[in-house]
Amino acid sequence: RAAAALARRAPAAALSSGSHDDFAPKSSAGVDDVTQTRIKAMVTDDDVVLFMKGTPNAPQCGFSNMACRVLDLYEVDYHGHNVLADPALREGVKQYSQWPTIPQLFVRGEFVGGSDILLEMHKADDLEKLLKPDQ
């Protein structure tokens, strides 16, 4: 009994020896260079890029929906990337921007922020200057 109780309290790493890799703890620290290169191309190929949960026409979280609706107010073309369809992209963009949450907005290759930053910029009338600098 004592051994069973001790095993229940043992760290996961101690229990995982001999088990299948599918059950090993996963780390996002090793997002590969291919993914990072892909993200760099995504944020530079289009002027306005939103990494989000779902798509602009069918957001799958409230924050992504809010980000899309704010961008739609400015009638700006933007490219939405669904991170739910690509786990490597989801983790990779967090590392690329050093920002822990989704959605993430990039304008002309520069990270702007998440939905909270987007909303604050909208309220402060700063977003239009960023999205449409020539107007």
Side-chain angles (χ1 to χ4, degrees), residues 66-82:
M66 194 268 308
C68 290
R69 300 305 66 95
V70 169
L71 290 173
D72 290 345
L73 289 172
Y74 294 94
E75 297 179 345
V76 64
D77 289 331
Y78 65 95
H79 192 102
H81 293 282
N82 182 4

Side-chain angles (χ1 to χ4, degrees), residues 28-112:
S28 63
V31 174
D32 60 37
D33 290 340
V34 172
T35 300
Q36 293 298 304
T37 301
R38 199 174 100 202
I39 292 167
K40 184 174 183 175
M42 290 173 165
V43 301
T44 55
D45 285 351
D46 293 294
D47 282 347
V48 182
V49 177
L50 183 65
F51 292 92
M52 60 182 292
K53 294 178 181 178
T55 63
N57 292 329
Q60 293 185 9
C61 89
F63 296 109
S64 291
N65 182 50
M66 194 268 308
C68 290
R69 300 305 66 95
V70 169
L71 290 173
D72 290 345
L73 289 172
Y74 294 94
E75 297 179 345
V76 64
D77 289 331
Y78 65 95
H79 192 102
H81 293 282
N82 182 4
V83 300
L84 296 178
D86 187 342
L89 180 62
R90 184 178 187 168
E91 291 307 314
V93 74
K94 292 175 185 179
Q95 286 186 7
Y96 185 86
S97 64
Q98 298 181 349
W99 190 260
T101 59
I102 303 293
Q104 294 189 12
L105 179 68
F106 288 80
V107 177
R108 288 179 290 289
E110 296 294 321
F111 175 64
V112 175

